[in-house]
Amino acid sequence: MIHAQDLVKAYELGGQTVRALDGVSVDIAAGEMIAIRGPSGSGKTTLMNILGCLDRADAGSYTLAGEDVARLSGDRLAEIRNRYIGFVFQTFNLLPRMTALENVELPLLYAGKHREARQAAIKAMETVALTDRMHHQPNQLSGGQRQRVSIARAIVTNPAILLADEPTGALDSRTGTEIMQLFKHLNADGRTIIVVTHDPTVARHCQREIYLRDGRVAQPSATEALQEVAP
Amino acid sequence: MMLWITIKVALRSLWANRMRSILAMLGIIIGVGAVIFVLSLVAAAKADMMGRITAMGTNLLVVSPGQRGTGGVMSGTQQNLTADDAEALLAKIPQIRDLAPVVRGNVQAKRLAKNSRTSLMGTTVTYFPIRSFEVEKGRLFNDADCDAMSRVAVIGATTATNLFGTEEPCNQVIKLNSINFRVIGVLKSKGDQGWFNPDDQVLVPYTVAMKQIVGVDHLNEIDIRANNEADLDTIMDRATKLLRKRHHLQEDQDNDFSIRNQAEMLKTADSMNQVLALLAGGIASISLLVGGIGIMNIMLVTVTERTREIGVRKAIGAKNGDILRQFLIEAVVMSGSGGAIGVLSGFVLAAILSRVTSLQASVSLFSVALGLGFSMGVGVFFGFYPASRAARLDPIEALRYE
């Protein structure tokens, strides 16, 4: 599903060049549920941006679902994101002044699939078990409900990959666990799920993890290892 | 579908920021309101003026003295139109039904302690039917009064109120430039015509006006009424020939008088209206410009405020063009709403105008279309820069924006 080789990304920061990614290779098979974990500054957000086609690597190759996306233009990347990737953000990022259902429809509208948008959005809302809140606006929903809406928005186009950036970061631990259970269900239905997190308890829900340190894939140290953390 | 949801969301966010939206739209509202109102005012004034000019009779010709001067430099009016000219015209041209010589001036009209500066009209009895004046009280002066140079006066309704208040003016004596005149009649009111109030004037026999008040031996105007409209061209032709002969003009000399008909007077009135309309257009375009800058300003603020939203939209698949379109639509929705409010306020102003004046102001479909069209055009024009800024935002930068 994802085949990325030797990704390099550097930033200019205060006159100094920071290599946020320094030769990262990632292979993710279809149907996996995988965590990308690492301390802050490890480059996991940069990696997520590149895997999510929000950004392009300076060097290296990236094939997504058989398509070479390393050098595509902004608008082509927007299409790729729309078709292959569903984003779930830490702060939900639902659009205000639109109902939950309208939020969920939006990716299909951008894809030009106006006719099936309403039906597909309702189906996605069923998947996240939130059909009774479809016509509420985001500010009338709880944090957990908002994250469910944003997951519904992420799956509405039936993308190959769900990319979740700290999806439980703004939720209490019980709601967070519920959301992770939801991801597991979606994964059980065959969706590939990538969760970016610094939180070992979240990573433990995944089948495997890629650990990043200083822009490289590394082994977690003893204190950072998953089994060291109390559940 | 996309368009509809974008408009819906734009309207919701306009409503959510009511105060800010109104302030941003104010320039557009005022501009469009002014256009609607002034256009309806101009149309009403035009219809009114046309009505009055037509009411004077379509069979009317007005002879006035020419401009004095050479080589295009005008220096006052010729003094060559005489009562004899008037008599000759009436005698020699059978198509003329009747005519009235006119002498104009300004007088100080005085009655006891009451004093009024008013316009003086020296003429004959035929003037009244030609200019459709009717008598309200008393009588008009007649040919005998003209021949005998009787010091009698017919006064307009406003003049009567100015000098007499509620008292009966007929058979009272007034002083015109210190000479005693007897008021013999009061005219029916015709209403103010803007550049001239026909209700505020004193009419006396032209002989008296020439000799005793104004002190001239020429006329300012001869009003001619034709038997019917078809004769107007013939009369104009023959009158021109006759007057040229009487004024001893050579072949190569220009007329030292002018003869105008209704159509030309209507044209003059129309050109006045066009100046008004142009003026209104100028004011409107300035306020639309200011309004557009207001819209642009608020759109720039909106784009900054919603940077994150733009990032999210791009993340879920919006292309640059989608974002551009969205913010353009929002700008147009805002300016269009301003335009709609402006149209409504134009309607209200026009209705108020019709209530408080005699003008029948109505808003034309054309001016509504013009107002709405222009306001939406302003939205597109001034919304483009903020929208293209939004479209060019980098998705990661935008998502990271706090």
Side-chain angles (χ1 to χ4, degrees):
Chain A
M1 181 60 64
I2 282 178
H3 178 72
Q5 193 86 45
D6 294 327
L7 295 175
V8 175
K9 184 76 184 178
Y11 296 103
E12 289 288 328
L13 204 68
Q16 280 194 315
T17 306
V18 180
R19 289 174 90 90
L21 290 183
D22 194 7
V24 173
S25 299
V26 179
D27 272 291
I28 299 170
E32 268 196 285
M33 180 158 171
I34 184 171
I36 296 176
R37 193 164 71 94
S40 64
S42 61
K44 60 183 192 299
T45 305
T46 307
L47 180 60
M48 186 204 70
N49 287 340
I50 291 171
L51 293 183
C53 294
L54 285 165
D55 203 356
R56 275 163 293 202
D58 297 335
S61 68
Y62 177 25
T63 317
L64 170 62
E67 200 156 350
D68 181 8
V69 295
R71 305 278 174 269
L72 292 181
S73 73
D75 273 357
R76 273 292 288 149
L77 283 181
E79 275 175 39
I80 297 284
R81 290 195 293 271
N82 186 267
R83 193 179 320 154
Y84 294 119
I85 299 161
F87 286 95
V88 178
F89 301 97
Q90 177 176 6
T91 51
F92 327 129
N93 281 339
L94 297 178
L95 302 187
R97 286 184 279 283
M98 289 171 78
T99 65
L101 197 61
E102 286 168 346
N103 264 285
V104 176
E105 283 174 345
L106 204 54
L108 285 171
L109 300 184
Y110 281 130
K113 297 174 180 166
H114 304 281
R115 226 171 292 153
E116 56 237 71
R118 179 52 54 104
Q119 252 346 91
I122 291 172
K123 212 176 134 230
M125 291 297 272
E126 280 166 4
T127 309
V128 300
L130 213 61
T131 41
D132 54 336
R133 292 283 188 278
M134 288 198 297
H135 300 291
H136 288 59
Q137 294 199 0
N139 55 12
Q140 299 166 309
L141 300 174
S142 73
Q145 288 170 335
R146 287 186 214 187
Q147 196 59 301
R148 282 167 189 275
V149 175
S150 95
I151 291 169
R153 182 177 65 185
I155 62 175
V156 75
T157 53
N158 214 3
I161 299 163
L162 272 192
L163 203 51
D165 182 16
E166 301 281 6
T168 62
L171 303 172
D172 62 74
S173 61
R174 217 196 70 189
T175 320
T177 309
E178 281 172 23
I179 292 295
M180 289 316 293
Q181 291 302 331
L182 180 54
F183 277 124
K184 278 183 174 171
H185 282 300
L186 293 171
N187 177 244
D189 289 344
R191 286 186 180 80
T192 311
I193 295 173
I194 302 172
V195 181
V196 177
T197 183
H198 72 282
D199 184 353
T201 53
V202 171
R204 288 175 56 155
H205 289 280
C206 302
Q207 294 146 5
R208 71 173 171 115
E209 70 166 6
I210 295 170
Y211 191 85
L212 288 184
R213 190 188 300 120
D214 300 329
R216 291 167 190 269
V217 179
Q219 284 300 314
S221 69
T223 50
E224 293 161 335
L226 288 181
Q227 51 272 36
E228 292 294 314
V229 178
Chain B
M1 179 76 180
M2 194 73 207
L3 181 73
W4 169 233
I5 200 164
T6 309
I7 291 175
K8 208 160 70 175
V9 171
L11 283 173
R12 280 184 208 153
S13 65
L14 273 190
W15 183 247
N17 300 309
R18 285 182 286 280
M19 194 60 193
R20 187 167 100 175
S21 312
I22 290 284
L23 288 175
M25 294 186 297
L26 205 56
I28 302 272
I29 295 176
I30 292 173
V32 172
V35 170
I36 301 281
F37 175 63
V38 175
L39 283 183
S40 77
L41 182 69
V42 165
K46 185 172 167 179
D48 191 65
M49 217 178 284
M50 296 289 181
R52 284 166 198 273
I53 290 174
T54 328
M56 291 192 315
T58 47
N59 298 349
L60 188 71
L61 285 176
V62 175
V63 185
S64 11
Q67 299 291 318
R68 190 165 42 193
T70 46
V73 181
M74 299 305 170
S75 54
T77 310
Q78 305 248 24
Q79 306 188 340
N80 51 15
L81 210 57
T82 62
D84 289 344
D85 284 337
E87 266 170 41
L89 287 170
L90 187 60
K92 296 270 174 62
I93 306 174
Q95 286 87 349
I96 294 179
R97 181 169 159 197
D98 46 19
L99 57 72
V102 176
V103 183
R104 288 210 200 88
N106 286 303
V107 287
Q108 196 73 28
K110 227 178 134 182
R111 195 245 162 195
L112 300 178
K114 284 186 180 138
N115 216 323
S116 173
R117 186 96 194 145
T118 179
S119 43
L120 175 89
M121 191 76 71
T123 185
T124 61
V125 66
T126 46
Y127 180 80
F128 299 98
I130 290 176
R131 292 287 187 171
S132 353
F133 280 106
E134 283 174 57
V135 69
E136 168 96 44
K137 282 184 244 176
R139 68 170 181 93
L140 301 172
F141 48 79
N142 53 34
D143 288 342
D145 290 319
C146 286
D147 293 342
M149 292 184 61
S150 314
R151 289 199 285 265
V152 290
V154 174
I155 60 179
T158 306
T159 317
T161 319
N162 287 348
L163 292 178
F164 293 96
T166 52
E167 278 179 70
E168 171 59 47
C170 287
N171 285 318
Q172 301 277 359
V173 171
I174 57 171
K175 278 185 193 296
L176 298 177
N177 287 1
S178 313
I179 303 166
N180 284 343
F181 277 76
R182 188 160 54 88
V183 177
I184 55 169
V186 178
L187 295 175
K188 250 185 209 158
S189 170
K190 287 178 95 172
D192 203 327
Q193 292 187 352
W195 70 95
F196 167 67
N197 184 358
D199 296 336
D200 188 11
Q201 60 175 337
V202 176
L203 298 104
V204 299
Y206 77 99
T207 47
V208 183
M210 284 167 98
K211 295 268 154 49
Q212 299 188 1
I213 306 179
V214 191
V216 292
D217 51 11
H218 60 270
L219 301 174
N220 295 99
E221 190 178 298
I222 301 170
D223 292 359
I224 296 174
R225 183 157 62 153
N227 278 324
N228 58 59
E229 218 176 320
D231 289 333
L232 284 176
D233 286 342
T234 319
I235 295 174
M236 205 186 270
D237 222 43
R238 296 188 62 173
T240 307
K241 281 195 188 119
L242 183 66
L243 287 174
R244 282 185 69 89
K245 200 169 137 203
R246 288 184 57 84
H247 293 179
H248 310 294
L249 296 177
Q250 305 295 319
E251 282 290 320
D252 56 342
Q253 281 179 291
D254 289 336
N255 290 346
D256 59 355
F257 56 88
S258 71
I259 306 179
R260 289 179 305 141
N261 61 19
Q262 286 300 106
E264 282 160 24
M265 284 186 256
L266 285 174
K267 223 184 275 170
T268 314
D270 204 36
S271 70
M272 262 171 62
N273 276 317
Q274 268 167 8
V275 170
L276 254 177
L278 270 179
L279 203 71
I283 294 168
S285 39
I286 289 171
S287 56
L288 281 179
L289 181 76
V290 174
I293 293 169
I295 299 267
M296 178 149 88
N297 185 31
I298 214 71
M299 285 310 293
L300 284 171
V301 172
T302 303
V303 168
T304 309
E305 274 180 356
R306 287 160 59 186
T307 300
R308 230 185 138 77
E309 173 189 327
I310 295 163
V312 174
R313 285 177 182 272
K314 287 198 160 187
I316 63 175
K319 294 180 190 150
N320 290 1
D322 294 319
I323 301 293
L324 182 81
R325 213 169 307 129
Q326 179 197 343
F327 282 93
L328 263 188
I329 289 169
E330 288 197 18
V332 172
V333 165
M334 189 186 293
S335 65
S337 311
I341 298 175
V343 166
L344 283 182
S345 46
F347 264 102
V348 170
L349 284 175
I352 292 174
L353 183 80
S354 301
R355 234 349 121 70
V356 299
T357 70
S358 61
L359 290 178
Q360 283 308 307
S362 67
V363 175
S364 72
L365 204 64
F366 167 76
S367 61
V368 171
L370 189 80
L372 286 180
F374 258 96
S375 59
M376 290 170 94
V378 162
V380 172
F381 186 81
F382 287 94
F384 192 82
Y385 173 65
S388 69
R389 252 175 77 147
R392 284 198 310 266
L393 281 176
D394 180 64
I396 304 166
E397 299 282 326
L399 272 172
R400 216 183 283 153
Y401 186 86
E402 293 298 328

